[in-house]
Amino acid sequence: MFNERIYNFSAGPSMLPLPVLQEAQRSMLNWNGSGMSVMEMSHRSSAFASIFQDTKDRLRRLMQVPEEYEILFLQGGATTQFSMVPMNLMGRTGKASYALTGNFSTKAYEEAQKFGQCLVACSSADKNHTYIPAQEALSVDRDASYFHYCANNTIYGTEWHYVPETGNVPLVCDMSSNILSKPVDVSKYGLIYAGAQKNMAPAGVTVVILRRDLAGSAPENTPVMLDYATHIKKDSMYNTPPCWCIYVLGLVAKWLEEEMGGLGAMEKVNAEKAAVLYEYLDESRLFRSSVVPADRSRMNVTFRTESAELDAQFAKEAGEAGFSNLKGHRLVGGMRASLYNAMPLAGVKALRNFMADFEKEHI
Ligand SMILES: *Cc1c(COP(=O)(O)O)cnc(C)c1O
């Protein structure tokens, strides 16, 4: 039992910024004098239209999304994008290139095989996804309709610290677990997608940013809800959108813009937070990181001791001390600390101190 908020290191759904939760709480019963909660509003009302537009405008400003790109608020999670991307984009040449650097990129690749020929551009499976292949190691098929990669591997704790060069082949990127953690040059991409529940909002909305010319050539029999053209045409309102999630996403974007100083400033804080843990891990005699230093994720820090029993004991004791959700994903074991935007530097330092105390007791 905790009477105070704790440091929640969950990989997703994950922490939201306290000022965002407080503002959502203040508006819970009566948003802006409307006499109702955002949860109770018609999505066609002018009140909700203003919330929707505000969220979209803020995201466009924060990420500097160029004019020729659409921002869509969809449902079905990032996982639905594993299907929507090939359904909509594979038709151009009938094939696509996939970089396999972890669990989700491999799932995306497997799903895409239903819709055409999928080529493996690179794979880090040979070393259990503990690194990111270099540009020189990528084989990009020039005829591919697109090149798909996952910018941050949430489970393994690796992150692409460069944007792949693919010539004329459009880049498609799953940014679910590092979107809004740093500036990105959107103009280098054809399509970016991200489930919101890691670094943006509550679970239930998926953000898709796509260059408009890539939509509109899905096959005739594409289900209407799975065709990007439908959502572009109706400005994400073909059916009822996830209104509450879009509202909270707007609050998060406002917090980033007005309190955190935008994505450039956020990147600095995130680098500092990650360095606190990695510097400790590199010195520790008990804990270690298995990821190649140059490819370490700033969002999901994976680490372990030499023993699975000790890992379990650590995660349990940390949880009791108010550092929750540190148990690693079942695919890799060990521990994982997710340091998304909402995790304050103080939380990371407190965790490092807790780890150092645990180390003293067990070495
Ligand atoms: C969590 C996650 C997913 C799956 O997202 P859902 O919204 O649950 O479908 C996909 N890709 C990455 C990188 C993730 O972190």
Side-chain angles (χ1 to χ4, degrees):
M1 274 280 285
F2 296 99
N3 294 320
E4 302 282 332
R5 283 177 59 76
I6 59 172
Y7 293 123
N8 176 8
F9 292 90
S10 170
S14 34
M15 276 180 86
L16 284 163
L18 187 59
V20 166
L21 294 176
Q22 287 167 330
E23 190 166 338
Q25 181 183 44
R26 279 195 297 277
S27 78
M28 183 66 78
L29 304 183
N30 183 355
W31 179 82
N32 202 23
S34 64
M36 58 180 101
S37 170
V38 175
M39 283 186 264
E40 303 169 302
M41 279 176 190
S42 162
H43 60 294
R44 310 274 178 210
S45 65
S46 59
F48 187 72
S50 73
I51 290 169
F52 183 93
Q53 196 55 45
D54 183 63
T55 301
K56 220 163 100 164
D57 292 346
R58 284 186 187 280
L59 258 189
R60 194 174 283 279
R61 280 199 301 273
L62 266 177
M63 293 185 70
Q64 296 180 23
V65 179
E67 215 4 77
E68 63 272 24
Y69 286 73
E70 288 286 337
I71 299 177
L72 303 177
F73 300 124
L74 307 184
Q75 298 186 65
T79 305
T80 297
Q81 296 308 308
F82 298 170
S83 326
M84 264 178 99
V85 164
M87 281 176 120
N88 284 265
L89 307 187
M90 188 90 95
R92 198 165 62 82
T93 65
K95 48 184 181 172
S97 286
Y98 276 76
L100 309 187
T101 57
N103 174 64
F104 293 111
S105 54
T106 304
K107 281 190 165 159
Y109 164 75
E110 286 166 359
E111 178 67 7
Q113 287 172 356
K114 295 176 184 167
F115 305 98
Q117 189 190 355
C118 295
L119 307 156
V120 177
C122 65
S123 169
S124 52
D126 58 337
K127 291 182 182 157
N128 198 28
H129 300 306
T130 51
Y131 72 103
I132 296 293
Q135 173 71 43
E136 303 76 61
L138 307 181
S139 61
V140 184
D141 189 284
R142 280 187 204 188
D143 258 352
S145 303
Y146 60 88
F147 175 97
H148 179 282
Y149 78 109
C150 175
N152 183 74
N153 297 288
T154 323
I155 292 175
Y156 292 90
T158 59
E159 185 169 5
W160 291 67
H161 295 296
Y162 72 95
V163 178
E165 291 286 344
T166 56
N168 291 327
V169 177
L171 268 184
V172 173
C173 186
D174 178 355
M175 288 192 191
S176 294
S177 52
N178 68 352
I179 193 166
L180 303 183
S181 70
K182 60 183 177 187
V184 260
D185 183 352
V186 175
S187 72
K188 288 190 171 169
Y189 294 86
L191 188 151
I192 291 167
Y193 64 90
Q197 70 275 19
K198 312 282 164 63
N199 205 23
M200 290 196 285
V205 63
T206 308
V207 171
V208 173
I209 300 171
L210 84 159
R211 220 175 58 212
R212 219 167 276 124
D213 63 281
L214 289 175
S217 39
E220 283 281 307
N221 63 353
T222 303
V224 68
M225 282 295 289
L226 300 182
D227 189 339
Y228 292 124
T230 305
H231 301 290
I232 292 177
K233 198 164 152 212
K234 297 291 183 180
D235 198 11
S236 303
M237 295 256 193
Y238 178 75
N239 73 331
T240 318
C243 302
W244 173 257
C245 299
I246 292 168
Y247 166 63
V248 179
L249 173 55
L251 298 183
V252 169
K254 183 176 168 202
W255 173 77
L256 283 168
E257 267 193 310
E258 296 177 8
E259 293 188 45
M260 303 310 284
L263 300 190
M266 200 65 245
E267 178 179 33
K268 291 203 183 84
V269 178
N270 285 328
E272 191 181 350
K273 278 154 50 183
V276 167
L277 279 194
Y278 287 124
E279 280 168 19
Y280 167 68
L281 287 171
D282 287 341
E283 287 171 4
S284 172
R285 292 193 293 139
L286 183 66
F287 298 104
R288 66 189 162 81
S289 156
S290 314
V291 174
V292 169
D295 302 327
R296 289 170 173 176
S297 167
R298 287 177 179 168
M299 296 282 100
N300 310 96
V301 179
T302 50
F303 58 97
R304 61 199 326 131
T305 68
E306 291 300 333
S307 118
E309 290 72 42
L310 205 52
D311 287 348
Q313 188 188 341
F314 172 78
K316 181 170 173 287
E317 288 183 19
E320 287 160 4
F323 304 96
S324 79
N325 288 305
L326 284 167
K327 189 171 179 297
H329 190 276
R330 64 195 139 68
L331 282 176
V332 288
M335 277 75 72
R336 170 177 54 178
S338 296
L339 316 179
Y340 300 121
N341 289 347
M343 172 60 67
L345 178 61
V348 185
K349 287 184 172 167
L351 172 61
R352 179 203 51 200
N353 294 345
F354 182 83
M355 289 168 74
D357 288 344
F358 188 89
E359 175 171 343
K360 271 185 218 131
E361 277 173 40
H362 294 275
I363 209 93

